[in-house]
């Protein structure tokens, strides 16, 4: 039996509008990405997850899809997509797209028809009468403010922005539509999908008020009916016989809830966010890793590790918070020690890359790029910022266009200096190209780690005694991974490491403080 490629794959997430711009309009595009495939191949990733690049009015930067079977002209349209896919495959890499099934854009033809009064079209969304002048229930949008907006006499539900009306998944036409969408892209050759908020789709049938307080609304997500959709999609994907994958973005209260989505006939993969929300603490990291390995592996699935994406603060800043004053664990705010954050982020990702399962890296993570925490308010575009009146600063700071070179009009991102979000002057210090080939750089650490991962077939994880609470060590296959969380170095009996997160030349027999190192077992 051959092992599915995705079980141990390292996938690189491309937030397209911020990756590389080929035509000088300040917005990343598909030919820009294509021009950087040599870099990604040399980095050693197995594939790319492409954030939504369908036609969209960009109320939520592509997560408001106006047409599911086309590519936005600003990114190069379908011809550029086909060129990209061919070049990705020619390099032996995979390409995953992003499916957004909970909602579409208010510009989508169905929603426009619904607004124009077409009853069949209205039944594909969730329109209800209000309670007097008030919305049909008290649900809040994930981005802040009510989850309902008035349209004529009725209100429609939008779990996110008003520009993102929720589909009515109880209408079979919606399910049939998404199966056609999946087929369209699978027939074109894509290797899988990341599924946006895969736990939402179904809402409690009666839409009652939520009385559980702010935050997670259990009536609007994680309903039992959703599992059938994933079963159907899994069957559809498997029918291609190409080992396609589906990776769910699933935020549910417990790992046990998450594991339900990974039953053998459901999704092959789902992000394990449990580790992403942990602060830099050996005990918490170990407990989270153990939860993942035990509870996810019990379903026969592997863990899909991730420390960063386009919705959370970049790891170098998130783990650099030395005094947390506000914000959720995904986007903590407070006093940030960036130098310490970078050390921790590098150590964390090297630890992650040693774990059994697959890993998703977020563009710029390989360069230890920090979050842009101080974007000017008038530059911010995230609906989270706009809908909370600035109380939540939102996600723009991890979406600033990448620095490729130390100088140039936008540090090599575009020929224009006018990028869709402004880059701070210090961005050039983290330029990806300036790290390539430089021993001790974050980019070279990733390249080395990915090469070693490929050369060493995995195996079960076995924890090793370290005698210190702030040091984790485990053996896996032919490797030992040691992470020192605290500042004091730790003596080890293994010689010189194969790779280390410390920028200095590795010393024999010792791992410095706040460092991960891999050794030959
Ligand atoms: C997911 C996406 C996020 C988007 C939201 C609504 O959480 O990752 O970027 O805003 O869904 O589609």
């Amino acid at each position: 039996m051959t092992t599915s490629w995705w079980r141990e794959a390292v996938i690189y997430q491309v937030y397209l509008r911020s990756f590389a711009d080929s035509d000088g309009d300040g917005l990343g595009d598909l030919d820009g990405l294509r021009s950087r495939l040599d870099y990604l191949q040399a980095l050693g990733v197995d594939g790319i997850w492409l954030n939504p690049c369908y036609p969209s009015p960009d109320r939520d930067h592509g997560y408001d899809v106006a047409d599911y079977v086309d590519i936005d002209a600003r990114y190069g349209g379908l011809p550029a997509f086909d060129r990209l896919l061919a070049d990705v495959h020619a390099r032996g890499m995979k390409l995953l797209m992003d499916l957004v099934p909970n909602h579409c854009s208010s510009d989508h033809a169905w929603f426009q028809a619904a607004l124009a009064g077409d009853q069949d079209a209205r039944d594909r969304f969730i329109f209800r009468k209000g309670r007097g002048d008030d919305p049909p229930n008290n649900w809040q949008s994930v981005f802040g403010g009510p989850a309902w907006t008035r349209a004529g006499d009725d209100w429609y539900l939008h779990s996110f922005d008003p520009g993102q009306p929720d589909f009515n998944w109880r209408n079979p036409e919606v399910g049939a539509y998404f199966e056609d969408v999946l087929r369209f892209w699978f027939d074109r050759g894509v290797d899988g999908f990341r599924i946006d908020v895969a736990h939402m789709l179904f809402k409690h049938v009666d839409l009652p008020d939520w009385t559980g307080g702010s935050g997670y609304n259990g009536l609007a997500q994680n309903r039992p009916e959703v599992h059938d959709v994933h079963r159907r999609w899994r069957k559809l994907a498997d029918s291609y016989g190409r080992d396609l994958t589906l990776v769910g973005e699933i935020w549910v209260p417990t790992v046990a809830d998450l594991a339900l989505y990974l039953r053998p006939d459901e999704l092959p993969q789902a992000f394990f966010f449990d580790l992403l929300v942990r602060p830099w603490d050996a005990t918490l990291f170990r407990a989270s890793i153990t939860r993942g390995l035990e509870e996810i592996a019990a379903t026969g699935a592997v863990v899909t590790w991730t420390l960063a994406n386009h919705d959370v603060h970049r790891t170098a800043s998130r783990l650099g918070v030395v005094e947390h004053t506000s914000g959720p664990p995904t986007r903590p705010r407070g006093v940030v020690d960036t130098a310490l954050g970078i050390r921790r982020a590098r150590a964390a990702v090297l630890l992650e890359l040693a774990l059994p399962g697959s890993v998703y890296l977020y563009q710029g993570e390989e360069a230890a790029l920090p979050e842009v925490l101080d974007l000017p308010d008038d530059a911010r575009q995230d609906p989270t910022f706009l809908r909370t009146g600035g109380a939540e600063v939102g996600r723009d700071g991890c979406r600033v266009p990448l620095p490729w070179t130390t100088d140039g009009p936008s540090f090599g991102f575009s020929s224009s200096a006018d990028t869709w979000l402004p880059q701070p002057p210090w961005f050039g210090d983290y330029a990806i190209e300036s790290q390539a080939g430089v021993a001790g750089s974050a980019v070279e650490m990733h390249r080395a780690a990915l090469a070693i991962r490929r050369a060493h077939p995995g195996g079960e994880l076995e924890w090793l005694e370290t005698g210190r609470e702030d040091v984790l060590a485990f053996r896996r296959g032919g490797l030992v991974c040691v992470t020192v969380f605290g500042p004091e170095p730790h003596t080890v009996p293994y010689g010189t490491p194969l790779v280390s997160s410390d920028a200095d030349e590795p010393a024999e027999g010792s791992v410095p403080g706040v460092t991960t190192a891999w050794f030959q077992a």
Side-chain angles (χ1 to χ4, degrees):
M1 195 184 104
T2 55
T3 305
S4 293
W5 65 270
W6 42 263
R7 284 178 77 92
E8 290 273 333
V10 177
I11 303 287
Y12 186 95
Q13 179 190 352
V14 170
Y15 193 70
L16 188 64
R17 52 177 31 240
S18 302
F19 188 71
D21 173 24
S22 72
D23 61 4
D25 64 355
L27 190 72
D29 50 45
L30 292 167
D31 280 335
L33 166 55
R34 205 158 61 89
S35 74
R36 299 287 181 185
L37 289 180
D38 284 346
Y39 163 71
L40 293 178
Q41 187 177 17
L43 189 62
V45 298
D46 299 290
I48 295 167
W49 150 33
L50 197 54
N51 281 110
C53 46
Y54 314 100
S56 166
D58 276 349
R59 295 288 292 274
D60 186 23
H61 294 137
Y63 283 97
D64 46 329
V65 179
D67 183 350
Y68 286 84
V69 290
D70 199 358
I71 297 288
D72 200 298
R74 294 168 302 160
Y75 301 130
L78 278 170
F81 179 81
D82 289 338
R83 285 195 291 276
L84 173 76
L85 185 59
D87 280 11
V88 167
H89 283 167
R91 285 169 165 76
M93 301 196 300
K94 307 284 188 183
L95 186 66
L96 309 185
M97 293 189 79
D98 204 320
L99 187 74
V100 189
N102 179 68
H103 46 265
C104 58
S105 159
S106 49
D107 282 9
H108 190 283
W110 280 7
F111 195 70
Q112 286 298 311
L115 289 183
D118 176 332
Q119 195 50 49
D120 287 344
R122 282 175 89 80
D123 287 346
R124 297 172 192 143
F125 298 94
I126 303 177
F127 281 91
R128 290 291 184 280
K129 296 270 168 251
R131 296 191 286 203
D133 282 340
D134 294 329
N137 69 22
N138 69 352
W139 294 4
Q140 293 292 295
S141 141
V142 174
F143 291 159
W148 297 89
T149 288
R150 195 164 207 152
D153 290 342
D154 294 341
W155 300 69
Y156 68 90
L157 180 72
H158 52 85
S159 295
F160 295 89
D161 189 79
Q164 296 168 297
D166 281 33
F167 284 112
N168 169 19
W169 269 89
R170 298 184 188 278
N171 181 340
E173 288 173 8
V174 172
Y177 176 68
F178 274 97
E179 290 186 12
D180 286 347
V181 169
L182 285 172
R183 277 194 207 96
F184 177 89
W185 295 106
F186 286 152
D187 289 347
R188 219 170 181 95
V190 309
D191 303 293
F193 276 90
R194 176 262 193 190
I195 300 173
D196 193 61
V197 289
H199 57 301
M200 294 189 84
L201 315 194
F202 283 87
K203 318 286 142 54
H204 189 290
V205 66
D206 300 324
L207 303 171
D209 274 344
W210 169 247
T211 53
S214 65
Y216 181 87
N217 172 353
L219 300 172
Q221 54 202 313
N222 200 23
R223 310 297 306 168
E225 298 92 323
V226 75
H227 292 281
D228 268 342
V229 175
H230 297 314
R231 286 192 190 99
R232 290 207 303 276
W233 290 349
R234 176 66 177 268
K235 216 178 255 171
L236 194 157
D238 285 352
S239 74
Y240 279 80
R242 293 207 318 255
D243 205 6
L244 305 174
T245 192
L246 301 168
V247 51
E249 184 217 13
I250 296 171
W251 293 90
V252 282
T254 67
V255 178
D257 289 316
L258 180 67
L260 292 177
Y261 290 81
L262 291 163
R263 286 175 286 194
D265 59 344
E266 296 198 36
L267 297 175
Q269 300 186 275
F271 296 115
F272 185 70
F273 293 123
D274 191 273
L275 186 62
L276 188 155
V277 299
R278 302 297 149 205
W280 182 246
D281 177 284
T283 308
L284 296 176
F285 262 56
R286 177 167 172 167
S288 176
I289 292 166
T290 303
R291 253 193 311 280
L293 293 176
E294 288 177 358
E295 299 189 36
I296 301 297
T299 67
V302 284
V303 184
T304 302
W305 308 100
T306 182
L307 292 172
N309 62 40
H310 64 294
D311 292 327
V312 303
H313 279 184
R314 285 190 174 278
T315 325
S317 302
R318 184 168 56 78
L319 294 181
V321 171
V322 286
E323 200 187 312
H324 183 180
T325 53
S326 64
T330 47
R331 294 192 294 273
R333 300 187 69 77
V335 182
V336 179
D337 179 337
T338 304
L340 181 63
I342 289 172
R343 274 196 83 87
R344 289 175 172 176
R346 290 183 55 162
V349 74
L350 196 56
L351 183 165
E352 177 193 42
L353 286 167
L355 296 170
S358 71
V359 172
Y360 280 64
L361 299 172
Y362 177 52
Q363 65 181 38
E365 186 179 6
E366 80 278 24
L369 187 65
E371 180 83 4
V372 182
L373 291 164
D374 56 357
L375 274 172
D377 283 359
D378 61 2
R380 291 195 181 271
Q381 302 192 19
D382 183 357
T384 311
F385 174 75
L386 305 171
R387 283 182 64 82
T388 59
E392 241 283 17
V393 291
R395 305 162 295 174
D396 293 311
C398 65
R399 300 174 173 181
V400 175
L402 285 189
W404 289 93
T405 53
T406 41
D407 32 41
S410 50
F411 304 113
F413 167 72
S414 168
S415 58
S416 164
D418 194 13
T419 52
W420 75 275
L421 281 174
Q423 298 164 302
W426 51 262
F427 241 35
D429 299 347
Y430 297 88
I432 292 171
E433 281 184 358
S434 73
Q435 298 189 29
V438 176
S441 71
V443 167
E444 284 307 319
M445 177 197 89
H446 281 80
R447 205 197 305 269
L450 295 188
I452 297 167
R453 238 182 104 97
R454 278 198 182 183
H456 283 77
E460 301 262 305
L461 175 150
E462 179 202 341
W463 292 106
L464 303 175
E465 267 312 317
T466 68
R468 268 176 61 175
E469 267 182 20
D470 67 334
V471 179
L472 296 185
F474 59 84
R475 184 195 317 272
R476 207 186 143 225
L479 294 180
V480 169
C481 174
V482 180
T483 302
V484 180
F485 283 72
E488 299 304 325
H490 183 62
T491 305
V492 291
Y494 307 114
T496 307
L498 300 169
V499 58
S500 162
S501 68
D502 186 38
D504 294 334
E505 192 69 31
E508 198 172 312
S510 166
V511 180
V514 196
T515 296
T516 293
W518 293 3
F519 300 88
Q520 189 92 46

